[in-house]
Amino acid sequence: MKLHHFYALLPLAAILAGCNAVELNPSGDVAVQERDLILYATELMLIVILPVAFLTTLFAWHYRHDNKSARYEPEWHHSTPLEVVVWGIPIIIIAVMSVTTWKTAHTLDPYAPITRLGPDQPVPPGTKPLVIQVVALDWKWLFIYPEQGIATVNEVAAPINQPIEFRLTADRTQNSLNIPAIAGQVYAMPTMETELHAVVNKVGEYRGKSSRFSGTGFSEMHFWFHGLSTEDFGKWVAQVKTAGGTLDTATYQQLQVQSVSEPVHRYGSVDPQLYKLAVDQCVGKPGNLCLSTIRANDFKKGNGLCRPNVSASN
Amino acid sequence: MSPDTPHLDPIFGRLTLDAIPFQEPILLGTFAVVVLLGIVVVGVVAYFNAWGYLWREWITSVDHKKIGIMYIILAIVMLVRGLADAVMMRLQQAMAFNGADGYLPAHHYDQIFTAHGTIMIFFVATPLIVGVMNFVVPLQIGARDVAFPFLNNIGFWLTTMAAMLVNLSLFVGEFSQAGWVGEPPLSGLADLPGVGVDYYLWALQISGVATIIGGINLLATIMRMRAPGMTFMRMSIFTWSSLCVNALIVLSFPFLTIAVSLLTLDRLIGTHFFTLDAGGNPMAYVNLVWVWGHPEVYILVLPALGLYSEFVATFCSKRLFGYNSMVVALVSICVIGFIVWVHHFFTMGSGASVNAFFGIATACVAIPTGVKVYNWLFTMYRGRIRFEVPMMWTISFMFVFLLGGLTGVLNSIPAADYVLHNGMMVVAHFHNVAIGAITFAMLAAIDYWFPKAFGFRLEPFWGKVAVWSWTIGFFVAWMPIYVAGFVGVTRRTRVFDDPSLQPLYIIAAIGTAIILVGVVAFLIQIYVSIVNRKALRDVTGDPWGGRTLEWSIASPAPDYNFAFTPVVHDVDAWADMKARGYKRPTEGFKAIHMPKNTATGIIASILVFIFAFAVIWYMWWVAAISFLLLLGVLIGHTFIYDRSFHIPEDVVTRTENERTRLLAQQG
Ligand code: HEM
Ligand SMILES: [Cu+2]
């Protein structure tokens, strides 16, 4: 941690000592940058807040009713220089912060592919991200590895220092994929696809969960994220492969049934069309009526009056 | 179930005995207590033979002061109700670690946080601010009532009926489980087919309409009914904040009405505005509801900021520093408040530049807000600060609010929000403001204007106990929650998988207990003051050395407020009048023209209640009858031409002579 961040942490440090403050001690570069951003903004605001807190205490004490030695000017209510300061300081602070807000909104955009593994550590050219398709179901997480041809429920793994590209959707209710140690969250929503790019830098076990309330089984919708060395990741994939089982539309329909605290499942092979069908809300629909088909039909019927909704990535 | 379910009973719709939660002892117990309390109240009223008095003097009253007081009583009752939910959640969360499931199943817990949020926002915070504005604004602008007294009455009764409707849902049916903004798809028929969401929607609809009615009313009052000489730049800052707030209400609440109406249509007649299939789009609801929701938080906080401006100036015995800046700050908060709503869903995948725009716009609100803090500070500078209870609330607020402002700005940065969104950090932030800014201001306001309403001051000792308990309790209850936020805990979580968090939640529960001490102290304060009302009598009508017009008249304020309409020459009109040696006229009083009471408000509101209840349960025949009756009553009301009367000259003279006598006694 950079030294100047230390000061901002002081008030928190006392209380945090006992806890493992994941968001303040992350293991993925995106989360590290997000933490630094929070600390930076906190410091910036403390520049105004601490003096104001101090002055409030001072004035409240000094100008108390029974201190007759304090100056009393009941009609004093305007001072141009003071007014300039009063407006100037917040404007400057917010202006400075806005620059950072704008920059980080772009550099830490969850949709932006990962360009660095850490400070001064660009992603080596030619690295391909690991794609993980995520479906939030009631109330469990399904992770599909299209390139490896495997899938898991309520468990996910990735090799360290390789960019990860999550593609997210949901079956019925909205959820939010949140692995605090790695990166901030993005919603997983039915009929839509969203994206989250991240990278994990340290080997370890990290908590993941849903951060968008989705009903009865929401509190138990957590899972472990395994940060593995490249080698161990290979082994893990092989293990899952040997676990057997296929994730196809039939197994997906079983997953669609609501359940709480679903145990980990592993599938050695995956129907390559499944994720697309999940986004399109077709699995288990009579006559394979997908959302895109319905929309296209509506479009025809409406003589072009109602445009088909653009579903993917809104 | 949907409207066309075949088993629908023709008389009772989908209402059956199963709707009453016999198998839930907590609910049944609460229900029994509520019924018992109800019987006691009815009994006491009957014993003192007070029905006639209540009916004439309160229920049918169009007096803005009485309506304001009734709003505040409603809010205090609902505050106790909302706190009961808070205690239940705190207990559950303190218990549910290490595999323990706590004592509340998900089905019940989800209802409780929804009930807590809904009740606190719509039936505590909103009625509090509406009540205080109602009571104070006409007095501060030198008016005798609001512009539309009947609308004021019906607005209050609609709000009350909405509060009763939403509370009834716990005992007959269920509460919604979709959170306080009820976002689809979760709140759609597919996921929550029960009556909970329908109760919620109708309660919001009715209270929303009531709020719009109230907003139009106060807007018109402030625009048209100021005393001669009171230009816009001579209004008190609280009146200014009320003007801004009511403009915000009139502009933003229609979005809530639309969102709620469309969702009701989806659930009731099967339209597809927000469904997942057939071209519906839940995002549309999320946008609509936050286009209302964000201005709503300013609607709640701006009156509080206005109040602190009054308290600071009064108790520092000094003119407010930077009046013009304060006005500019208020107006700019209102304007910016309308272009920030996307910060509630940065994480729903909008583009980087969109997020950055809304993030920066949000942070800009910190500029005028910061200016206000500085201005209070410089009002204290070279003042003579009297630490009466309202001023103690103000000082406490200034510290708490600094923290709330800091965390609010943190949430506004999109890249930080990806981490903080839907976390306990957000929950801690909005309680920081909801408690530390809004609730504190309203408790202070009750203390401050109590003499103007009832003629005697509140006993300060218990008030001070309340200030300290709320303040200490706030920090003990919410600092651990801030920490939980930084550790990455998600809101609305019922059971936890990480045992290291338990100490935080135990501390938070203790803090909640300290806050409860504050609530009890406040209730004791009112009780003790009523007992000692003779000793606490405010004879002068100006117990605090006030600066605005309401302190120029007697306490309690007479029905007609001002015997003569005051003429204003400066900001802080009353301070100015006192400084220039104002002599109160003691003769020459005339009869005063006032609006008449009306029973239409309560009758129409009861019909609305019955209508909503019937629609929620699909009892179509009851809905039809109550709707027709409602139309009849409202149309009938338009035929009442005799809507005003004169307070006779001798009554006015007698009232004012009594004041002359009391003042003379004072010396
Ligand atoms: C005075 C003590 C209070 C306590 C101890 C308290 C406690 C809580 C708790 C435990 C939650 C649930 C947090 C979670 O999601 O995990 C909550 C949510 C909430 N509270 Fe409070 N609260 C208090 C006062 C207030 C006040 C005064 C307001 C508003 C004026 C308020 C508005 C809300 C809202 C809007 C929610 C969100 C509900 C939702 O998630 O849908 N609370 N509160
Ligand atoms: Cu907002």
Side-chain angles (χ1 to χ4, degrees):
Chain A
M1 189 183 307
K2 277 184 238 139
L3 186 66
H4 70 266
H5 284 148
F6 181 70
Y7 303 106
L9 268 184
L10 270 182
L12 271 180
I15 341 179
L16 280 172
C19 323
N20 50 339
V22 176
E23 289 179 3
L24 294 178
N25 186 21
S27 307
D29 181 55
V30 176
V32 169
Q33 293 181 63
E34 285 164 347
R35 178 214 53 200
D36 287 348
L37 171 65
I38 292 175
L39 294 179
Y40 166 75
T42 308
E43 287 164 7
L44 200 60
M45 282 180 285
L46 285 179
I47 297 178
V48 225
I49 284 174
L50 290 181
V52 172
F54 171 73
L55 286 180
T56 310
T57 320
L58 181 76
F59 288 177
W61 174 249
H62 184 70
Y63 295 105
R64 68 190 184 281
H65 189 54
D66 37 350
N67 181 12
K68 302 288 182 212
S69 63
R71 246 170 101 174
Y72 175 43
E73 289 182 29
E75 282 309 310
W76 182 79
H77 64 92
H78 180 75
S79 147
T80 308
L82 262 183
E83 297 264 359
V84 171
V85 173
V86 156
W87 281 94
I89 294 179
I91 289 179
I92 292 170
I93 299 278
I94 296 299
V96 171
M97 212 185 70
S98 296
V99 176
T100 314
T101 301
W102 182 270
K103 277 193 194 147
T104 54
H106 289 84
T107 54
L108 296 173
D109 180 11
Y111 279 62
I114 296 295
T115 54
R116 54 174 255 189
L117 304 173
D120 308 321
Q121 212 187 325
V123 173
T127 317
K128 274 192 51 196
L130 171 69
V131 177
I132 305 180
Q133 298 161 334
V134 185
V135 187
L137 295 119
D138 286 358
W139 288 278
K140 52 207 152 279
W141 292 98
L142 171 63
F143 300 97
I144 304 171
Y145 291 73
E147 282 141 29
Q148 287 72 13
I150 58 168
T152 53
V153 167
N154 281 349
E155 175 193 34
V156 62
I160 55 168
N161 294 332
Q162 182 186 353
I164 311 167
E165 177 182 325
F166 290 104
R167 298 201 151 253
L168 310 144
T169 190
D171 178 45
R172 277 158 52 83
T173 47
Q174 297 181 346
N175 278 282
S176 186
L177 181 76
N178 190 356
I179 311 166
I182 312 298
Q185 65 194 295
V186 163
Y187 276 23
M189 299 176 283
T191 76
M192 294 176 234
E193 189 186 53
T194 48
E195 281 177 48
L196 173 64
H197 293 257
V199 61
V200 52
N201 300 112
K202 280 187 228 147
V203 171
E205 296 290 301
Y206 306 107
R207 288 177 196 277
K209 60 182 173 179
S210 171
S211 276
R212 161 80 159 173
F213 177 70
S214 56
T216 306
F218 162 77
S219 292
E220 288 90 347
M221 228 176 130
H222 38 69
F223 59 89
W224 287 102
F225 177 101
H226 315 297
L228 303 172
S229 66
T230 314
E231 228 169 283
D232 286 347
F233 179 70
K235 282 189 205 146
W236 182 82
V237 172
Q239 249 176 30
V240 176
K241 277 223 156 94
T242 54
T246 306
L247 179 70
D248 51 19
T249 48
T251 28
Y252 185 82
Q253 275 172 279
Q254 287 164 12
L255 289 176
Q256 283 181 312
V257 179
Q258 296 189 330
S259 65
V260 179
S261 294
E262 187 71 18
V264 170
H265 296 275
R266 292 175 166 184
Y267 303 96
S269 59
V270 178
D271 174 352
Q273 289 303 311
L274 186 74
Y275 176 73
K276 217 176 130 270
L277 297 179
V279 179
D280 214 0
Q281 301 271 307
C282 320
V283 188
K285 294 283 156 65
N288 269 349
L289 211 53
C290 298
L291 206 60
S292 51
T293 324
I294 300 176
R295 284 173 178 163
N297 288 345
D298 285 352
F299 182 51
K300 270 187 238 140
K301 267 190 286 179
N303 290 328
L305 274 178
C306 47
R307 291 186 300 118
N309 266 332
V310 185
S311 83
S313 67
N314 86 337
Chain B
M1 209 189 294
S2 73
D4 38 41
T5 313
H7 321 292
L8 221 52
D9 185 292
I11 296 179
F12 290 111
R14 54 175 169 167
L15 178 60
T16 61
L17 268 186
D18 298 340
I20 297 168
F22 290 114
Q23 65 298 348
E24 308 236 22
I26 303 179
L27 279 180
L28 220 56
T30 325
F31 193 30
V33 172
V34 171
V35 171
L36 220 66
L37 277 180
I39 294 175
V40 169
V41 170
V42 172
V44 169
V45 172
Y47 179 80
F48 287 107
N49 211 352
W51 280 120
Y53 165 77
L54 277 185
W55 179 260
R56 267 177 280 112
E57 294 294 320
W58 293 89
I59 295 174
T60 58
S61 173
V62 292
D63 181 339
H64 72 97
K65 300 183 287 299
K66 286 180 175 156
I67 293 175
I69 292 166
M70 290 195 289
Y71 265 115
I72 292 170
I73 293 173
L74 170 71
I76 291 173
V77 173
M78 288 295 120
L79 175 69
V80 173
R81 165 74 175 76
L83 284 173
D85 290 329
V87 170
M88 294 213 284
M89 286 188 287
R90 276 280 153 270
L91 284 178
Q92 163 70 23
Q93 290 192 322
M95 286 161 69
F97 284 92
N98 299 318
D101 202 47
Y103 71 110
L104 292 172
H107 173 72
H108 198 168
Y109 185 80
D110 299 347
Q111 293 185 45
I112 292 180
F113 71 68
T114 307
H116 170 79
T118 308
I119 288 175
M120 283 296 196
I121 297 291
F122 292 95
F123 303 112
V124 177
T126 310
L128 269 180
I129 63 135
V130 173
V132 172
M133 290 193 299
N134 236 305
F135 184 88
V136 176
V137 166
L139 291 175
Q140 284 199 336
I141 63 176
R144 289 193 174 130
D145 206 329
V146 290
F148 308 112
F150 164 63
L151 288 187
N152 209 8
N153 177 288
I154 198 172
F156 167 73
W157 284 111
L158 285 174
T159 309
T160 307
M161 290 302 151
M164 286 175 62
L165 193 65
V166 89
N167 278 292
L168 186 65
S169 73
L170 265 189
F171 308 129
V172 185
E174 55 168 9
F175 212 98
S176 162
Q177 301 163 57
W180 78 277
V181 281
E183 286 159 322
L186 197 59
S187 57
L189 207 53
D191 275 275
L192 291 174
V195 288
V197 179
D198 298 311
Y199 267 114
Y200 162 89
L201 289 173
W202 282 100
L204 255 64
Q205 187 68 277
I206 297 170
S207 82
V209 168
T211 310
I212 296 178
I213 292 177
I216 293 172
N217 202 347
L218 276 173
L219 202 57
T221 307
I222 300 174
M223 296 302 283
R224 307 295 305 165
M225 293 174 67
R226 280 164 289 134
M230 184 174 281
T231 56
F232 278 113
M233 291 315 268
R234 284 184 192 156
M235 298 191 318
S236 76
I237 290 295
F238 178 68
T239 305
W240 257 110
S241 74
S242 303
L243 178 65
C244 292
V245 162
N246 288 298
L248 278 180
I249 287 177
V250 172
L251 289 171
S252 72
F253 264 76
F255 286 98
L256 177 70
T257 306
I258 292 168
V260 165
S261 306
L262 297 184
L263 187 55
T264 307
L265 288 178
D266 272 9
R267 292 180 61 92
L268 203 59
I269 63 169
T271 52
H272 292 277
F273 291 107
F274 308 128
T275 55
L276 291 175
D277 55 345
N281 187 352
M283 286 295 292
Y285 182 92
V286 174
N287 272 289
L288 278 173
V289 87
W290 285 116
V291 168
W292 158 79
H294 193 82
E296 165 71 359
V297 309
Y298 290 122
I299 289 169
L300 298 180
V301 87
L302 286 184
L305 302 185
L307 287 172
Y308 293 119
S309 305
E310 301 289 295
F311 304 149
V312 169
T314 303
F315 292 103
C316 294
S317 311
K318 184 163 171 279
R319 205 165 148 164
L320 187 73
F321 179 83
Y323 176 93
N324 293 359
S325 280
M326 283 294 208
V327 172
V328 174
L330 273 173
V331 174
S332 44
I333 291 176
C334 279
V335 175
I336 306 171
F338 262 103
I339 49 165
V340 302
W341 78 95
V342 171
H343 65 212
H344 292 275
F345 43 96
F346 285 148
T347 51
M348 276 181 149
S350 24
S353 300
V354 169
N355 278 353
F357 170 83
F358 282 96
I360 291 173
T362 306
C364 285
V365 176
I367 298 171
T369 313
V371 169
K372 296 180 80 70
V373 175
Y374 278 117
N375 284 5
W376 295 319
L377 194 63
F378 288 115
T379 307
M380 287 162 66
Y381 179 67
R382 294 186 185 164
R384 272 277 143 85
I385 308 172
R386 285 168 285 143
F387 290 98
E388 303 278 4
V389 174
M391 189 61 195
M392 290 178 64
W393 283 117
T394 307
I395 302 257
S396 166
F397 149 79
M398 284 177 72
F399 288 106
V400 176
F401 192 58
L402 286 177
L403 184 63
L406 187 155
T407 51
V409 176
L410 280 186
N411 285 323
S412 79
I413 307 170
D417 183 70
Y418 301 143
V419 176
L420 303 171
H421 183 73
N422 274 351
M424 290 316 275
M425 155 83 181
V426 173
V427 176
H429 158 71
F430 70 65
H431 282 88
N432 197 157
V433 181
I435 296 173
I438 300 169
T439 313
F440 282 14
M442 298 307 150
L443 292 174
I446 292 173
D447 211 286
Y448 188 67
W449 279 292
F450 198 89
K452 196 49 65 190
F454 298 104
F456 55 97
R457 274 180 305 130
L458 284 177
E459 201 279 328
F461 173 77
W462 288 102
K464 287 180 184 171
V465 174
V467 176
W468 283 105
S469 317
W470 275 90
T471 307
I472 296 170
F474 165 77
F475 282 106
V476 178
W478 295 101
M479 293 318 283
I481 303 302
Y482 270 123
V483 177
F486 282 114
V487 182
V489 184
T490 299
R491 73 191 284 194
R492 296 172 179 172
T493 304
R494 184 182 67 92
V495 290
F496 299 94
D497 58 335
D498 181 351
S500 73
L501 303 171
Q502 190 162 22
L504 295 176
Y505 280 89
I506 292 178
I507 301 175
I510 296 172
T512 306
I514 304 178
I515 292 182
L516 286 185
V517 172
V519 177
V520 174
F522 169 72
L523 297 177
I524 295 180
Q525 184 194 19
I526 292 189
Y527 174 76
V528 171
S529 313
I530 293 178
V531 172
N532 295 335
R533 60 186 177 281
K534 291 242 161 57
L536 292 163
R537 177 87 175 92
D538 166 33
V539 186
T540 60
D542 186 12
W544 313 114
R547 313 180 65 78
T548 36
L549 284 175
E550 73 270 32
W551 305 112
S552 68
I553 58 174
S555 293
D559 289 345
Y560 48 80
N561 294 353
F562 298 90
F564 293 107
T565 301
V567 179
V568 176
H569 300 283
D570 199 358
V571 237
D572 292 355
W574 174 233
D576 173 58
M577 282 152 82
K578 282 190 283 191
R580 288 187 294 111
Y582 165 79
K583 285 261 175 330
R584 175 176 161 273
T586 49
E587 54 197 30
F589 299 110
K590 295 215 173 63
I592 292 172
H593 190 215
M594 294 296 286
K596 246 187 188 167
N597 287 0
T598 164
T600 312
I602 184 157
I603 295 173
S605 302
I606 290 175
L607 288 171
V608 168
F609 178 92
I610 296 172
F611 171 77
F613 184 83
V615 173
I616 291 166
W617 289 101
Y618 305 157
M619 294 188 230
W620 303 122
W621 64 278
V622 181
I625 294 177
S626 54
F627 186 73
L628 290 177
L629 283 175
L630 177 66
L631 276 188
V633 167
L634 290 180
I635 293 172
H637 180 78
T638 62
F639 287 100
I640 304 176
Y641 294 115
D642 177 24
R643 292 191 183 200
S644 57
F645 71 110
H646 281 85
I647 299 180
E649 191 185 313
D650 59 315
V651 175
V652 179
T653 310
R654 219 178 317 126
T655 318
E656 292 296 319
N657 284 349
E658 172 64 11
R659 173 157 165 77
T660 313
R661 194 181 61 77
L662 279 175
L663 284 175
Q665 236 175 34
Q666 269 297 293

